[in-house]
Amino acid sequence: MERLWFETLHRWLSQLPLRKTEAVEEATLGEKIVGEWHCVISDLEADIYLSLGSDQNFELYQKVGDGRHRVYKGIWSADNASGILSGKYNDGSVWGSSYKVTLSEDGASMTLAAEKASDKEQVYQRCTIPAEVKDNSITVVKSDNADYPGVL
Protein backbone atom coordinates (compact mmCIF):
# COMPACT_ATOMS: atom_id res chain seq x y z
CA MET A 1 0.00 0.00 0.00
CA GLU A 2 2.77 2.40 0.93
CA ARG A 3 4.63 1.67 -2.31
CA LEU A 4 1.50 2.34 -4.35
CA TRP A 5 1.00 5.67 -2.60
CA PHE A 6 4.63 6.64 -3.28
CA GLU A 7 4.39 5.70 -6.98
CA THR A 8 1.15 7.64 -7.37
CA LEU A 9 2.66 10.68 -5.70
CA HIS A 10 5.78 10.41 -7.86
CA ARG A 11 3.67 10.17 -11.06
CA TRP A 12 1.59 13.17 -10.01
CA LEU A 13 4.64 15.27 -9.10
CA SER A 14 6.41 14.42 -12.36
CA GLN A 15 3.49 15.88 -14.32
CA LEU A 16 3.72 19.27 -12.65
CA PRO A 17 5.36 21.96 -14.77
CA LEU A 18 8.84 22.85 -13.59
CA ARG A 19 9.70 26.45 -12.94
CA LYS A 20 13.15 27.59 -13.74
CA THR A 21 14.57 29.37 -10.75
CA GLU A 22 17.09 32.10 -11.33
CA ALA A 23 19.86 32.79 -8.92
CA VAL A 24 19.61 36.22 -7.40
CA GLU A 25 22.93 37.98 -7.70
CA GLU A 26 23.85 40.33 -4.91
CA ALA A 27 24.87 43.80 -6.02
CA THR A 28 28.58 44.53 -6.07
CA LEU A 29 30.11 47.06 -3.71
CA GLY A 30 30.40 49.50 -6.60
CA GLU A 31 26.72 49.15 -7.41
CA LYS A 32 25.75 49.60 -3.77
CA ILE A 33 27.66 52.86 -3.26
CA VAL A 34 26.64 54.63 -6.46
CA GLY A 35 24.74 57.79 -5.55
CA GLU A 36 25.05 61.02 -3.65
CA TRP A 37 26.33 61.26 -0.07
CA HIS A 38 26.77 63.89 2.64
CA CYS A 39 29.57 63.58 5.19
CA VAL A 40 28.02 63.76 8.66
CA ILE A 41 30.96 62.63 10.82
CA SER A 42 34.57 63.60 10.14
CA ASP A 43 37.57 65.03 11.93
CA LEU A 44 37.70 67.70 9.21
CA GLU A 45 35.97 71.01 9.68
CA ALA A 46 34.37 71.03 6.27
CA ASP A 47 31.02 70.55 4.60
CA ILE A 48 31.51 67.60 2.24
CA TYR A 49 29.29 66.01 -0.40
CA LEU A 50 30.35 63.08 -2.57
CA SER A 51 28.72 61.91 -5.79
CA LEU A 52 29.75 58.47 -7.05
CA GLY A 53 28.45 57.92 -10.57
CA SER A 54 27.64 54.59 -12.17
CA ASP A 55 30.07 55.63 -14.93
CA GLN A 56 32.90 55.50 -12.33
CA ASN A 57 33.21 59.30 -12.21
CA PHE A 58 33.07 61.17 -8.92
CA GLU A 59 32.45 64.72 -7.84
CA LEU A 60 33.66 65.78 -4.41
CA TYR A 61 32.17 69.05 -3.12
CA GLN A 62 33.85 70.53 -0.09
CA LYS A 63 33.62 73.83 1.71
CA VAL A 64 36.27 74.70 4.26
CA GLY A 65 35.35 77.74 6.34
CA ASP A 66 33.35 80.49 4.67
CA GLY A 67 32.76 80.82 0.97
CA ARG A 68 31.64 78.45 -1.69
CA HIS A 69 32.05 74.73 -2.14
CA ARG A 70 34.88 73.62 -4.36
CA VAL A 71 34.28 70.62 -6.61
CA TYR A 72 36.98 68.10 -7.42
CA LYS A 73 36.36 65.55 -10.13
CA GLY A 74 37.91 62.27 -11.14
CA ILE A 75 37.37 58.54 -11.37
CA TRP A 76 36.76 55.93 -8.68
CA SER A 77 36.76 52.17 -8.38
CA ALA A 78 35.61 49.70 -5.75
CA ASP A 79 37.10 46.27 -5.20
CA ASN A 80 34.29 43.91 -4.28
CA ALA A 81 36.55 41.28 -2.70
CA SER A 82 38.45 43.62 -0.39
CA GLY A 83 35.76 46.29 0.10
CA ILE A 84 38.25 49.01 -0.86
CA LEU A 85 37.27 52.29 -2.55
CA SER A 86 40.01 54.20 -4.36
CA GLY A 87 40.28 56.89 -6.97
CA LYS A 88 42.19 59.50 -8.93
CA TYR A 89 41.53 63.20 -9.30
CA ASN A 90 41.15 64.71 -12.77
CA ASP A 91 44.81 65.80 -12.73
CA GLY A 92 45.89 62.15 -12.40
CA SER A 93 46.91 62.29 -8.73
CA VAL A 94 45.61 59.47 -6.57
CA TRP A 95 43.53 60.02 -3.47
CA GLY A 96 45.48 60.55 -0.28
CA SER A 97 44.36 57.08 0.80
CA SER A 98 42.18 54.21 -0.28
CA TYR A 99 39.23 53.51 1.99
CA LYS A 100 37.67 50.42 3.51
CA VAL A 101 33.93 50.77 2.92
CA THR A 102 31.32 49.67 5.43
CA LEU A 103 27.68 50.10 4.45
CA SER A 104 24.76 50.06 6.83
CA GLU A 105 22.38 47.17 6.26
CA ASP A 106 19.79 49.46 4.65
CA GLY A 107 22.44 51.16 2.47
CA ALA A 108 21.59 54.59 3.86
CA SER A 109 24.96 55.25 5.48
CA MET A 110 28.54 54.51 4.50
CA THR A 111 31.68 54.60 6.62
CA LEU A 112 35.01 55.21 4.91
CA ALA A 113 38.05 54.16 6.94
CA ALA A 114 41.34 55.43 5.53
CA GLU A 115 43.83 52.62 4.91
CA LYS A 116 46.82 54.91 5.48
CA ALA A 117 45.50 56.21 8.80
CA SER A 118 43.36 53.57 10.46
CA ASP A 119 41.98 56.05 12.99
CA LYS A 120 40.57 58.33 10.25
CA GLU A 121 36.94 57.61 9.48
CA GLN A 122 34.26 59.56 7.71
CA VAL A 123 30.57 58.68 7.88
CA TYR A 124 28.32 59.60 4.97
CA GLN A 125 24.54 59.59 4.72
CA ARG A 126 22.84 58.98 1.39
CA CYS A 127 21.19 62.20 0.24
CA THR A 128 20.61 64.47 -2.72
CA ILE A 129 23.30 67.10 -3.11
CA PRO A 130 21.52 70.46 -2.86
CA ALA A 131 21.23 72.36 -6.14
CA GLU A 132 22.76 75.47 -4.53
CA VAL A 133 25.89 73.46 -3.70
CA LYS A 134 26.23 72.20 -7.29
CA ASP A 135 25.26 75.48 -8.95
CA ASN A 136 27.51 77.72 -6.85
CA SER A 137 30.60 75.53 -6.55
CA ILE A 138 34.00 76.42 -7.93
CA THR A 139 35.54 73.71 -10.14
CA VAL A 140 39.19 73.15 -9.34
CA VAL A 141 41.99 70.92 -10.51
CA LYS A 142 43.57 69.30 -7.47
CA SER A 143 47.18 70.05 -8.42
CA ASP A 144 46.33 73.73 -9.00
CA ASN A 145 44.76 74.23 -5.58
CA ALA A 146 47.19 73.41 -2.79
CA ASP A 147 45.30 75.69 -0.37
CA TYR A 148 42.22 73.46 -0.55
CA PRO A 149 43.32 69.87 -1.18
CA GLY A 150 40.60 67.29 -1.73
CA VAL A 151 39.63 65.37 1.37
CA LEU A 152 39.83 61.94 -0.22
Side-chain angles (χ1 to χ4, degrees):
M1 178 77 160
E2 194 172 305
R3 182 173 169 84
L4 178 63
W5 181 84
F6 179 75
E7 288 173 358
T8 304
L9 178 62
H10 183 265
R11 216 174 310 122
W12 180 75
L13 289 174
S14 65
Q15 293 175 10
L16 292 174
L18 296 177
R19 273 192 341 191
K20 183 178 179 181
T21 58
E22 295 181 25
V24 177
E25 283 190 37
E26 185 174 331
T28 65
L29 175 62
E31 292 167 335
K32 291 177 184 177
I33 64 175
V34 164
E36 296 182 339
W37 302 88
H38 185 223
C39 185
V40 294
I41 299 174
S42 174
D43 63 342
L44 303 170
E45 294 198 23
D47 186 32
I48 304 166
Y49 290 92
L50 177 61
S51 174
L52 298 170
S54 60
D55 59 358
Q56 304 305 121
N57 286 301
F58 76 84
E59 293 180 340
L60 171 67
Y61 297 85
Q62 71 179 42
K63 181 171 78 167
V64 179
D66 294 331
R68 295 161 48 190
H69 283 82
R70 286 166 168 68
V71 60
Y72 300 85
K73 298 180 180 184
I75 58 172
W76 66 273
S77 63
D79 183 280
N80 204 46
S82 65
I84 299 297
L85 173 66
S86 57
K88 287 184 183 180
Y89 290 99
N90 57 359
D91 70 347
S93 61
V94 296
W95 289 352
S97 180
S98 294
Y99 296 87
K100 177 72 175 167
V101 177
T102 306
L103 280 171
S104 63
E105 198 151 315
D106 63 0
S109 68
M110 168 176 71
T111 301
L112 301 182
E115 284 199 297
K116 289 186 178 177
S118 59
D119 62 333
K120 302 285 184 191
E121 285 190 350
Q122 297 175 344
V123 178
Y124 290 79
Q125 292 288 346
R126 197 175 288 276
C127 73
T128 299
I129 299 174
E132 61 269 12
V133 170
K134 289 182 176 183
D135 296 343
N136 297 318
S137 64
I138 301 167
T139 301
V140 295
V141 175
K142 185 175 184 307
S143 60
D144 292 344
N145 199 3
D147 292 339
Y148 297 98
V151 296
L152 294 177

